[in-house]
Amino acid sequence: MSTNYKMLVLDLDGTLLNKNKEIEKSTINILRVLMQKGCYVIFASGRRKENIITYVNELYCDKYSNGWYVCCDGCYIYNLHGEMIHRATLLTGKIAYELCKKIKNSCNSFACYTDKFDYIYLTGINRIKSDIKSLLLRSDSSRTKRVNMTDLLKMEEIEKIVIQKKFDFSDEEYLSFCQSFNTVRMTPKRIELQHKGINKLYAIDYLRQILGVQWGDICFIGDDENDRCVFQSMCYSVAMGNAANELKALANIVTSDNNNFGVEKFIKDNILRENQNG
């Protein structure tokens, strides 16, 4: 195991963030020590830019000019100036429509996430429940917009399709989606689809190439199914204590959970300590 990593890539929810959705102050200090030693510290999250930027600013503050972060599970890469340096290939409305038409009878909801709104097509009782909720809350500020199936055809640049099924996805169904999409089974009844080949690993590969970093010099820390692709790569992978056992089995090492300084403990025990001993 190399301890002189040139790139440390961190998931946010369930990894760097505690249950209060905060980064521990002591962890921020440890990450800054790594950056001072020349290590690139990069956030890679399923969140959108507007939901990451607070944490980016907290880590980098005004002292650093070089840095990058990955949004929407690999769809976008931004620098510290908020400039998009890369956008991956996104899905089209035609693809969404054809898929929805094919599976609408077996799903509760079919959602298309874009940079502006989350468009959702509901079926059966879920449509009725949504109508009642809308009448009670009358929330016009939500990102979520109800659509009919034909509305999907008008959409462009879909970051992610999320399907919530009535029953568990079978392995056969899951594998059939994998043939056409980057597919993540978040729960037995929920899968997330992106353009084939687009995921966190794709974005990490893009960054490592422009930064001149080898796979063996990258360490990744994560906890959820959308991190699996990186756990199966040539990166050194660290699973949080709160990760599922299947992901822990893929990791090189397991650290404490996100509410017990898991990221900080790994860095102290396996990077900074080894560097000091060396």
Side-chain angles (χ1 to χ4, degrees):
M1 162 183 163
S2 169
T3 57
N4 295 310
Y5 296 110
K6 295 180 180 178
M7 184 186 294
L8 174 64
V9 185
L10 300 165
D11 172 53
L12 288 179
D13 294 281
T15 299
L16 190 60
L17 306 185
N18 60 25
K19 62 182 179 182
N20 298 319
K21 301 300 180 183
E22 298 172 342
I23 308 176
E24 301 288 351
K25 297 299 182 184
S26 55
T27 303
I28 288 285
N29 293 333
I30 289 293
L31 293 176
R32 287 177 180 167
V33 169
L34 286 183
M35 290 192 291
Q36 289 167 5
K37 292 178 175 293
C39 179
Y40 300 112
V41 176
I42 296 169
F43 296 159
S45 173
R47 292 183 175 222
R48 293 186 171 87
K49 177 185 176 183
E50 61 267 26
N51 298 322
I52 295 178
I53 195 63
T54 298
Y55 304 114
V56 172
N57 291 338
E58 186 178 5
L59 173 62
Y60 288 98
C61 53
D62 297 325
K63 297 180 179 179
Y64 304 90
S65 58
N66 290 324
W68 301 267
Y69 53 102
V70 175
C71 303
C72 301
D73 286 328
C75 286
Y76 311 111
I77 303 174
Y78 292 91
N79 62 23
L80 295 188
H81 303 292
E83 300 165 336
M84 187 191 302
I85 68 164
H86 182 69
R87 191 197 73 173
T89 304
L90 304 181
L91 298 171
T92 66
K94 182 179 179 181
I95 290 173
Y97 173 79
E98 294 296 335
L99 179 59
C100 186
K101 185 171 67 172
K102 181 178 179 180
I103 66 170
K104 67 175 183 176
N105 292 331
S106 64
C107 68
N108 284 329
S109 65
F110 185 97
C112 295
Y113 292 3
T114 70
D115 63 339
K116 293 182 179 179
F117 297 107
D118 300 338
Y119 297 98
I120 184 167
Y121 169 73
L122 297 170
T123 62
I125 190 65
N126 292 284
R127 178 178 288 272
I128 297 172
K129 287 180 179 178
S130 177
D131 288 339
I132 295 172
K133 184 178 179 181
S134 297
L135 287 172
L136 292 174
L137 298 179
R138 295 193 177 278
S139 174
D140 297 323
S141 61
S142 172
R143 278 189 56 97
T144 304
K145 303 292 182 183
R146 275 269 306 277
V147 295
N148 295 317
M149 192 169 70
T150 52
D151 294 327
L152 300 176
L153 282 168
K154 306 172 187 177
M155 295 180 190
E156 297 180 1
E157 299 183 342
I158 299 169
E159 300 162 353
K160 183 184 297 184
I161 293 173
V162 179
I163 302 170
Q164 187 75 30
K165 208 173 175 226
K166 296 176 182 177
F167 306 102
D168 290 359
F169 284 93
S170 67
D171 290 341
E172 183 179 358
E173 288 175 306
Y174 172 73
L175 291 174
S176 68
F177 282 111
C178 290
Q179 293 176 5
S180 303
F181 304 94
N182 178 69
T183 309
V184 178
R185 183 157 45 185
M186 298 301 291
T187 71
K189 294 183 175 65
R190 173 189 169 115
I191 62 171
E192 298 184 354
L193 309 176
Q194 290 179 281
H195 196 280
K196 187 72 173 177
I198 307 304
N199 50 33
K200 290 185 181 182
L201 184 63
Y202 165 85
I204 292 171
D205 187 29
Y206 182 90
L207 277 173
R208 76 161 192 90
Q209 290 187 60
I210 65 173
L211 295 174
V213 176
Q214 301 299 313
W215 283 113
D217 294 325
I218 302 173
C219 178
F220 175 82
I221 309 180
D223 76 298
D224 213 344
E225 279 298 318
N226 59 340
D227 301 322
R228 179 183 288 268
C229 57
V230 193
F231 279 50
Q232 294 174 322
S233 73
M234 293 179 283
C235 297
Y236 188 86
S237 59
V238 182
M240 299 298 292
N242 47 287
N245 288 333
E246 288 185 5
L247 288 180
K248 290 178 181 177
L250 293 173
N252 294 103
I253 193 171
V254 178
T255 186
S256 300
D257 64 63
N258 63 315
N259 291 314
N260 285 286
F261 302 88
V263 170
E264 183 177 336
K265 287 179 179 177
F266 169 77
I267 294 171
K268 284 182 175 179
D269 295 342
N270 297 278
I271 300 180
L272 294 182
R273 177 178 295 175
E274 291 295 330
N275 287 339
Q276 291 168 358
N277 290 342

